[in-house]
Amino acid sequence: MAGYVQDDISSEEQDRQRDLYAPFTAALRGLVDAGIRTEVDDDEIRAVQAEVEALTERLRVRQIAGSYGVRFNQEGRGRAWGNAVVGVRNAVAPPLVIEHEGETGRVWSDFHLGAAYEGPPTLVHGGVSALILDQMLGEAAGAGKRPGMTGTLTLVYRQGTPLGPLRAEAWIDRVDGIKTWAKGRILGPDGVTVEAEGVFILPKWARPAFAEQESATQPTPPFFE
Amino acid sequence: MAGYVQDDISSEEQDRQRDLYAPFTAALRGLVDAGIRTEVDDDEIRAVQAEVEALTERLRVRQIAGSYGVRFNQEGRGRAWGNAVVGVRNAVAPPLVIEHEGETGRVWSDFHLGAAYEGPPTLVHGGVSALILDQMLGEAAGAGKRPGMTGTLTLVYRQGTPLGPLRAEAWIDRVDGIKTWAKGRILGPDGVTVEAEGVFILPKWARPAFAEQESATQPTPPFFE
């Protein structure tokens, strides 16, 4: 399947790379935030722009041809580091760190959304809540050994979600063959703000591997980090 | 309402600021993309990180206290420049430029999504499609003089949405008092990839102003750009 890459790095090297890229990408997120909020004068904006363009050129001296995809190391650990919600190397991602309760399919995340995720003034963009819940529900399905692509997703907005510290939770509601129904929600300081339900469908190309795994005794490898 | 700011800049000055910030934020988007895709060595990553942090400090010398909100100029034109989908000053936003067919509520946008919007390898994150469609449906409601906060949003995923050039469309399906039902979709090279339907609800604080406007003869001011 296009974009899934198997490479030969060890888990030790993978951890080392994470320690390199996490603070680098955090710095980029800081710059994005400052770019929205700055009130420095026009000449300074132009000067910083020129320096940003020069830094981009330095990074592009050597780069992969397309998007990051998902890379698996020699021990089968996956890196979805370009992912728009959890990607350690993606400054568009908050990024969410999603915790798993064993293999029950119950997942949760405590995170913070700043100025870059705004919709209505002072509130999280309704679509950003949808973005986060899509990832959370998909992770719940995957954590319950039922990974899949989003088939449908329904969101009910109970109240505005304020920018700031938030929590998201998701769990598997039921499973039927290649389909997994997951539910989840976002909680703010005043309780539940958004509720979600979705169906996740195991892609065709992955079905043979999962049929095999179903009949195996060993646990599912931890695919993504 | 918190975060809505009235300032005294002219439309000419607003256009001038847009011409300053649009290329600045485009440069930040380039840096975010390069940050995901770069393969330069570790020392260079650390060196670029230090320079990014220094640029952030320069921008933070003078900045607004919170998020951007929505600012209206002396002629009533709005700037949602921090918005996560259309924000001219927000590097998290692609940004979408949304075209309006008069006041019919029909809107569309041609845009490009790169590596920063990835979910499954080579494909747009399902939640990013939701993010974009939430904005599009909300704009349709607003374009039909029925602005509102998202009440519910339902997405049906027909096929994977490839990263690259895409189109989104949205329109008003029906209106009932303070509620507007809008529909929309994303189209890729192989046709419709995601369909959406949502209900948008006029917030309580805005209802008196809109009741007044309903009985007026002049057209709705073009609130947002």
Side-chain angles (χ1 to χ4, degrees):
Chain A
M1 187 60 188
Y4 287 95
V5 176
Q6 177 68 53
D7 57 28
D8 63 356
I9 71 169
S10 65
S11 289
E12 192 184 0
E13 169 62 13
Q14 178 161 331
D15 291 341
R16 203 193 58 73
Q17 286 190 17
R18 169 181 285 275
D19 289 345
L20 173 72
Y21 290 117
F24 168 70
T25 314
L28 294 178
R29 290 184 191 104
L31 185 61
V32 167
D33 179 84
I36 297 167
R37 298 168 54 202
T38 188
E39 295 186 292
V40 298
D41 65 29
D42 298 3
D43 285 344
E44 182 71 342
I45 291 290
R46 287 186 202 99
V48 170
Q49 179 184 331
E51 297 218 33
V52 165
E53 287 165 348
L55 293 176
T56 303
E57 284 310 301
R58 280 169 62 179
L59 294 176
R60 292 208 194 280
V61 163
R62 204 164 70 243
Q63 67 176 9
I64 58 172
S67 55
Y68 190 86
V70 174
R71 286 148 197 267
F72 292 95
N73 79 354
Q74 61 184 207
E75 288 157 53
R77 274 173 63 194
R79 314 194 288 291
W81 288 357
N83 182 286
V85 177
V86 298
V88 170
R89 291 191 55 178
N90 187 348
V92 162
L96 259 63
V97 176
I98 302 179
E99 311 285 347
H100 293 212
E101 184 185 279
E103 289 177 1
T104 63
R106 184 165 282 274
V107 298
W108 71 94
S109 181
D110 292 302
F111 57 99
H112 182 279
L113 296 181
Y117 302 98
E118 189 174 44
T122 76
L123 300 178
V124 174
H125 195 295
V128 169
S129 295
L131 168 63
I132 285 168
L133 284 164
D134 177 59
Q135 181 73 29
M136 291 295 294
L137 270 56
E139 292 259 353
K145 304 198 212 175
R146 292 288 175 178
M149 303 262 287
T150 317
T152 65
L153 182 67
T154 301
L155 302 136
V156 179
Y157 295 81
R158 298 293 183 193
Q159 57 174 315
T161 304
L163 292 172
L166 296 165
R167 184 183 177 89
E169 305 172 342
W171 58 91
I172 292 175
D173 186 53
R174 62 191 192 279
V175 175
D176 184 5
I178 57 164
K179 292 187 181 178
T180 302
W181 282 259
K183 290 185 173 182
R185 57 192 189 178
I186 292 177
L187 298 103
D190 296 323
V192 174
T193 62
V194 188
E195 293 172 326
E197 177 165 9
V199 179
F200 293 79
I201 302 168
L202 189 64
K204 272 196 190 119
W205 61 265
R207 290 174 198 169
F210 269 81
E212 205 170 284
Q213 182 190 291
E214 291 272 282
S215 60
T217 52
Q218 69 264 42
T220 312
F223 271 169
F224 303 113
E225 65 168 25
Chain B
M1 187 60 189
Y4 288 94
V5 176
Q6 177 69 52
D7 56 28
D8 62 356
I9 71 170
S10 66
S11 289
E12 192 183 0
E13 169 61 13
Q14 179 161 331
D15 291 341
R16 203 193 57 74
Q17 287 190 16
R18 168 182 286 274
D19 289 344
L20 173 72
Y21 289 119
F24 169 70
T25 314
L28 294 177
R29 291 184 190 105
L31 185 61
V32 167
D33 179 84
I36 296 166
R37 297 167 56 201
T38 188
E39 295 186 292
V40 298
D41 66 29
D42 298 3
D43 285 344
E44 181 72 341
I45 291 290
R46 287 186 203 98
V48 171
Q49 179 184 332
E51 298 218 33
V52 165
E53 287 165 348
L55 293 176
T56 303
E57 283 311 302
R58 281 169 62 179
L59 294 176
R60 291 208 195 281
V61 163
R62 204 164 70 243
Q63 68 177 10
I64 58 172
S67 55
Y68 190 86
V70 173
R71 286 146 198 267
F72 292 94
N73 79 355
Q74 61 184 207
E75 289 158 52
R77 275 173 62 192
R79 314 194 289 291
W81 288 358
N83 182 286
V85 178
V86 298
V88 169
R89 291 190 54 177
N90 187 347
V92 162
L96 260 62
V97 176
I98 302 179
E99 310 285 348
H100 292 212
E101 185 185 278
E103 290 177 0
T104 62
R106 183 164 283 273
V107 299
W108 72 94
S109 181
D110 292 303
F111 56 100
H112 182 279
L113 296 181
Y117 302 97
E118 189 173 45
T122 76
L123 300 178
V124 174
H125 195 295
V128 169
S129 295
L131 168 63
I132 285 168
L133 283 164
D134 177 58
Q135 181 73 30
M136 292 295 296
L137 270 57
E139 293 258 353
K145 304 199 212 175
R146 292 288 177 179
M149 303 262 288
T150 317
T152 66
L153 182 67
T154 301
L155 302 136
V156 179
Y157 295 81
R158 297 295 182 193
Q159 57 173 315
T161 305
L163 293 172
L166 296 164
R167 184 183 177 87
E169 305 171 342
W171 58 91
I172 292 176
D173 186 53
R174 61 191 193 278
V175 175
D176 184 5
I178 57 164
K179 292 187 180 178
T180 301
W181 281 260
K183 291 186 173 181
R185 57 192 187 178
I186 291 177
L187 297 103
D190 296 324
V192 174
T193 62
V194 188
E195 292 172 327
E197 177 165 9
V199 179
F200 293 80
I201 302 168
L202 189 64
K204 273 197 190 116
W205 60 266
R207 290 175 199 170
F210 270 80
E212 206 170 283
Q213 183 189 291
E214 291 271 284
S215 59
T217 51
Q218 70 265 43
T220 311
F223 271 168
F224 303 112
E225 66 168 28

